[in-house]
């Protein structure tokens, strides 16, 4: 809040907010006085006085701590009563990212954002476009005997995501798709038949689901992005390997949305061009 406030008005607002904070906390005036180390009469004066003077910084800070609010809110410098730590905790969360397919947390985020545009930079190929053979190759070594059950559950979730009311924009580095097609790097032991089947599925989904699903290829030599998903205006999630880092504050969501829009705007291949590129790519590896 940048509005200049008259001293008397600010003092009155302080009394109102102190009363509200005291009521919400469930503390009595005596209990608050004990916690901040002043006489009960001092608290009574703070709550009922009619002067233009505000208490000193130590008393304001002690009251804020005891009541679980921010000093800025008590002084009408903020409209949010939460402390800075609580605001940060609400804006940023860190959660484990199991080595699995579409886990429950990811699926919950997708359902929460149903109807909003979802922007996605995957760590490898997009999970929602993978064939069963591709999923088995990628996850069986880690999941072992539980792979079949996990893949079955994830296929149901992937199917829901494909049929949801959300629009999807996916930005993928060109080298990732080419490395997959030629079976190099991460994909070096993936059989040719599985790769061709996956490229066929990729082309089919890009064609059938367009324009609700749009995939763009960007040049990682010019642009870079860590794996992330932006769930409309609700949150932005980074994948850091062992954890997800989720932001819910609007400023950061807007910042990373602009970053994603740059990937799309400067993409070397657009969603319209991708099916033709996939067919050409298949021709180079299938001959």
């Amino acid at each position: 809040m940048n509005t200049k406030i008259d001293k008397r008005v600010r003092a009155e607002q302080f009394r109102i907010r102190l009363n509200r904070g005291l009521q919400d906390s469930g503390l009595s005036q005596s209990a608050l006085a004990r916690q901040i180390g002043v006489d009960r009469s001092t608290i009574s004066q703070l709550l009922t006085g009619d002067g233009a003077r505000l208490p000193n910084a130590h008393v304001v800070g002690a009251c804020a701590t005891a009541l679980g609010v921010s000093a800025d809110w008590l002084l009408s410098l903020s409209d949010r009563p939460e402390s800075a730590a609580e605001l940060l905790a609400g804006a940023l969360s860190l959660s484990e990212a199991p080595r699995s397919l579409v886990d429950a947390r990811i699926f919950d985020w997708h359902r929460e954002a149903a109807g909003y545009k979802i922007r996605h930079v995957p760590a490898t190929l997009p999970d929602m476009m993978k064939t069963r053979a591709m999923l088995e190759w990628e996850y069986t070594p880690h999941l072992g005997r539980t792979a079949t059950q996990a893949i079955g559950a994830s296929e149901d979730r992937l199917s829901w995501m494909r049929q949801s009311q959300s629009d999807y924009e996916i930005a993928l580095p060109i080298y990732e798709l080419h490395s997959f097609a030629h079976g190099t790097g991460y994909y070096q032991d993936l059989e040719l038949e599985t790769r061709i089947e996956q490229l066929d599925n990729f082309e089919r989904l890009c064609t059938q689901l367009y324009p609700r699903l749009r995939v763009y290829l960007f040049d990682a030599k010019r642009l870079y992005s860590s794996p992330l998903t932006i769930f409309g205006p609700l949150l932005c999630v980074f994948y850091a390997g062992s954890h997800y880092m989720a932001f819910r504050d609007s400023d950061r969501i807007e910042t990373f949305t602009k970053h994603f829009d740059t990937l799309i705007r400067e993409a070397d291949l657009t969603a319209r061009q991708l099916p033709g590129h996939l067919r050409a790519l298949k021709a180079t590896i299938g001959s």
Side-chain angles (χ1 to χ4, degrees), residues 12-29 32 43 46-48 63-64 66-70 73-74 76 78-82:
E12 176 62 21
Q13 289 180 341
F14 173 81
R15 287 189 287 273
I16 292 172
R17 293 190 174 190
L18 184 61
N19 271 287
R20 175 182 159 186
L22 189 63
Q23 183 178 359
D24 291 345
S25 72
L27 291 175
S28 65
Q29 293 187 28
L32 177 60
I43 299 298
L46 291 175
L47 292 168
T48 61
C63 286
L67 299 177
V69 298
S70 71
W73 179 73
L74 287 176
S76 298
S78 170
D79 288 329
R80 300 290 299 271
E82 302 96 330

Side-chain angles (χ1 to χ4, degrees), residues 137-207:
W137 171 84
E138 191 164 15
Y139 290 101
T140 296
H142 171 72
L143 298 176
R145 295 180 180 179
T146 64
T148 300
Q149 181 180 1
I151 289 171
S154 292
E155 282 182 324
D156 292 339
R157 291 171 177 174
L158 293 171
S159 177
W160 181 91
M161 287 161 58
R162 292 177 188 137
Q163 297 172 18
S164 72
Q165 297 304 308
S166 294
D167 284 352
Y168 284 84
E169 283 188 338
I170 297 174
L172 186 69
I174 294 175
Y175 79 82
E176 187 71 36
L177 183 60
H178 287 204
S179 177
F180 166 78
H182 294 286
T184 60
Y186 179 79
Y187 309 99
Q188 62 181 350
D189 61 344
L190 183 57
E191 294 182 354
L192 176 61
E193 181 181 355
T194 302
R195 285 182 273 133
I196 292 178
E197 180 190 18
Q198 177 62 64
L199 289 172
D200 285 339
N201 189 61
F202 212 137
E203 180 188 350
R204 180 169 59 254
L205 291 174
C206 286
T207 302

Side-chain angles (χ1 to χ4, degrees), residues 65-164:
T65 300
L67 299 177
V69 298
S70 71
D72 282 353
W73 179 73
L74 287 176
L75 294 171
S76 298
L77 299 175
S78 170
D79 288 329
R80 300 290 299 271
E82 302 96 330
S83 66
E86 289 172 327
L87 288 172
L88 180 60
L92 170 63
S93 63
L94 200 65
S95 58
E96 289 190 12
R99 180 70 172 122
S100 61
L101 288 78
V102 184
D103 63 37
R105 184 171 296 276
I106 292 177
F107 191 49
D108 287 344
W109 285 330
H110 277 270
R111 290 193 295 184
E112 180 186 353
Y116 290 110
K117 180 187 289 186
I118 295 176
R119 301 167 171 89
H120 181 45
V121 180
T124 57
L125 296 184
D127 275 347
M128 69 181 296
M129 304 179 75
K130 289 175 181 174
T131 63
R132 186 175 184 88
M134 180 68 187
L135 294 171
E136 289 174 347
W137 171 84
E138 191 164 15
Y139 290 101
T140 296
H142 171 72
L143 298 176
R145 295 180 180 179
T146 64
T148 300
Q149 181 180 1
I151 289 171
S154 292
E155 282 182 324
D156 292 339
R157 291 171 177 174
L158 293 171
S159 177
W160 181 91
M161 287 161 58
R162 292 177 188 137
Q163 297 172 18
S164 72

